[in-house]
Amino acid sequence: MTQPPPDSALRDRRILLVEDDPTVAEVARNYLRSAGFLVDEVTDGFQAIDSVTAVRPDLVVLDRKLPGIDGTEVCRRLRTFTDVPVLMLTALSATEDRIDGLESGADDYLTKPFSPRELVLRVRSILKRTVDESTPEAPFALGPFRLDASARKVSRGGDPLELSAREFDLLAFFLKHPNQVFDRETLLRSVWGWEVGDLSTITVTVRRLREKIEDDPSHATFLTTVWGAGYRFDVDGADAESAAEGVR
């Protein structure tokens, strides 16, 4: 199989590969290194947490099934102290595995058995959204939200929001397209860069994002559901909060 050519913009980005199957680890390591990445490897969940703290990788490729503690628990613990992007490897037929991984804070998933070429492409897709662009975007505000896309920072009412890479990408997309309705297929293409994928990925990420930006996630005022159509970022809700803050 032909390997994807190295991407100079992402060369020497550091990947932590967490995989206890030596055959899978060898193939993944070789493809990632051929694509220009630096790769560190560990084989269990406890080592993964220690390595993220010590090495500070740019992305973690994390197997769902691990000795010690499994990948979902590793991801939950990582999310208590870092927003490093996580690409989780899950079993092909286990939908609940994929959903659990996303709920735990993973930014993306790849089902086993997987193509090593697709692994490299997924890693690139995530990293390209987290590196600085050659022409930085100017920060802007919408209601109580302030987005600095180039620095990958966003705040609500002056308070920084701690978001995973995909949560940030999704919120940034909505802030740039207020009052527009997007179905899940469009979000999958526009934010994830996938032509085909599990639409539950969108549902789970929207739920996680609401938990971080809404006062009451079960009654969203910003990221609202338009039944039968998709999701919309409601400027009226944003403006209402911004006005309320102004009179406090």
Side-chain angles (χ1 to χ4, degrees):
M1 182 181 294
T2 303
Q3 297 182 11
D7 188 328
S8 59
L10 301 178
R11 181 174 292 279
D12 294 336
R13 295 283 169 172
R14 187 171 293 277
I15 309 298
L16 176 64
L17 176 61
V18 189
E19 174 59 68
D20 64 321
D21 184 319
T23 302
V24 175
E26 180 182 7
V27 173
R29 175 183 67 244
N30 290 342
Y31 266 75
L32 289 167
R33 285 180 175 168
S34 294
F37 299 112
L38 304 176
V39 182
D40 299 294
E41 295 178 67
V42 296
T43 57
D44 69 53
F46 292 112
Q47 291 177 332
I49 295 170
D50 290 341
S51 293
V52 169
T53 303
V55 177
R56 297 188 179 278
D58 296 293
L59 182 142
V60 178
V61 177
L62 177 64
D63 190 19
R64 169 75 163 74
K65 300 292 186 182
L66 290 170
I69 54 176
D70 71 9
T72 55
E73 180 59 25
V74 171
C75 199
R76 289 189 187 97
R77 296 190 188 188
L78 291 179
R79 286 293 171 253
T80 65
F81 67 89
T82 180
D83 60 357
V84 62
V86 175
L87 171 60
M88 188 168 287
L89 306 179
T90 70
L92 177 61
S93 61
T95 301
E96 287 304 315
D97 281 359
R98 300 197 295 271
I99 292 176
D100 286 348
L102 293 168
E103 291 280 16
S104 69
D107 298 281
D108 204 345
Y109 69 87
L110 189 60
T111 55
K112 290 183 174 183
F114 58 84
S115 158
R117 180 182 175 85
E118 184 177 3
L119 171 65
V120 172
L121 293 174
R122 288 291 184 89
V123 167
R124 285 179 177 171
S125 175
I126 297 172
L127 287 177
K128 281 181 178 179
R129 295 178 179 276
T130 62
V131 298
D132 291 336
E133 300 292 339
S134 57
T135 304
E137 295 183 42
F140 73 92
L142 181 66
F145 295 92
R146 186 179 189 277
L147 174 69
D148 186 342
S150 298
R152 293 190 67 82
K153 294 181 180 179
V154 62
S155 61
R156 175 187 159 186
D159 296 323
L161 296 172
E162 299 297 329
L163 306 178
S164 72
R166 286 300 191 198
E167 291 165 358
F168 178 92
D169 293 338
L170 185 61
L171 179 57
F173 180 82
F174 277 117
L175 288 172
K176 294 174 184 178
H177 302 87
N179 285 341
Q180 298 180 49
V181 178
F182 297 96
D183 59 28
R184 294 187 298 172
E185 290 84 354
T186 300
L187 293 173
L188 202 65
R189 290 192 301 270
S190 300
V191 180
W192 274 254
W194 303 354
E195 289 300 322
V196 178
D198 186 348
L199 295 180
S200 66
T201 301
I202 307 299
T203 306
V204 172
T205 308
V206 166
R207 185 187 312 137
R208 282 169 34 200
L209 183 56
R210 281 174 172 161
E211 290 172 354
K212 298 180 179 181
I213 70 171
E214 301 282 358
D215 292 324
D216 182 357
S218 63
H219 296 86
T221 58
F222 302 120
L223 184 45
T224 59
T225 298
V226 180
W227 295 107
Y231 301 103
R232 178 184 65 218
F233 193 84
D234 193 339
V235 172
D236 291 338
D239 288 343
E241 176 168 317
S242 183
E245 288 178 348
V247 298
R248 286 196 185 100

